[in-house]
Amino acid sequence: MKTGIHPTYYPEATVTCACGNTWKTGSTVESIHTDVCSNCHPFYTGEQRIVDTEGQVERFYKKLQARQEYLEEHDSRDTGSALLELPIVELELGSRPEKALAQAGIATVGQALDRLQQGDDSLLSIEGFGQKSLIDLKKRLRQRGVSFPEEQPAPAP
């Protein structure tokens, strides 16, 4: 070995854990301090414990709390009137159904919902607005929070 280039080796270096456990080992550092050891690590002890390093768990719970509050506020907001004034074009149904609805004088979601209350046939009777367009319209409205009563199947003859 070359002399003078190697660090000092301490055969009796002391390792101290945050839980209070200490033991001796060989190291180039005389005293070692650690946060977790085999006596307190959840993997070895079998206990369910969250080891928090630098407040990561608290930050996560804080973000989770803020998300919950945002969702509650968002759900409680009254978006009904804004939805009724939304132009049909915003639903992105396609050019043909949008054009058919515009020719029938239906320009907003509120007008389309009025027609839907009269029954599906009131919209299906519009030239150029078929069954697929009706399904797409209902799907887009459901995505925006509109609920429809369960449709009853036609009775068999």
Side-chain angles (χ1 to χ4, degrees), residues 24-26 31 72 74 86 88-89 91 106 108-109 116 148:
K24 302 280 185 190
T25 189
S31 177
E72 289 171 5
H74 184 68
L86 186 71
I88 287 288
V89 179
L91 296 179
I106 300 173
T108 65
V109 171
L116 275 173
F148 298 100

Side-chain angles (χ1 to χ4, degrees), residues 60-136:
F60 171 75
Y61 282 131
K62 194 175 184 181
K63 287 180 185 178
L64 187 63
Q65 176 83 21
R67 171 85 173 138
Q68 292 289 12
E69 290 171 1
Y70 170 77
L71 288 176
E72 289 171 5
E73 176 189 328
H74 184 68
D75 288 344
S76 66
R77 244 190 284 161
D78 182 26
T79 58
S81 61
L83 180 65
L84 295 178
E85 298 301 320
L86 186 71
I88 287 288
V89 179
E90 293 287 322
L91 296 179
E92 298 177 355
L93 297 173
S95 60
R96 184 175 178 185
E98 290 170 1
K99 189 175 181 182
L101 289 173
Q103 287 176 350
I106 300 173
T108 65
V109 171
Q111 293 168 337
L113 287 174
D114 289 341
R115 290 292 284 267
L116 275 173
Q117 286 179 348
Q118 298 169 10
D120 291 350
D121 292 335
S122 66
L123 279 175
L124 291 174
S125 65
I126 298 173
E127 182 79 24
F129 194 84
Q131 189 69 36
K132 183 183 180 319
S133 301
L134 178 66
I135 291 169
D136 289 343

Side-chain angles (χ1 to χ4, degrees), residues 50-59:
I50 298 173
V51 179
D52 186 14
T53 306
E54 298 178 12
Q56 291 178 358
V57 175
E58 282 85 21
R59 282 195 311 243

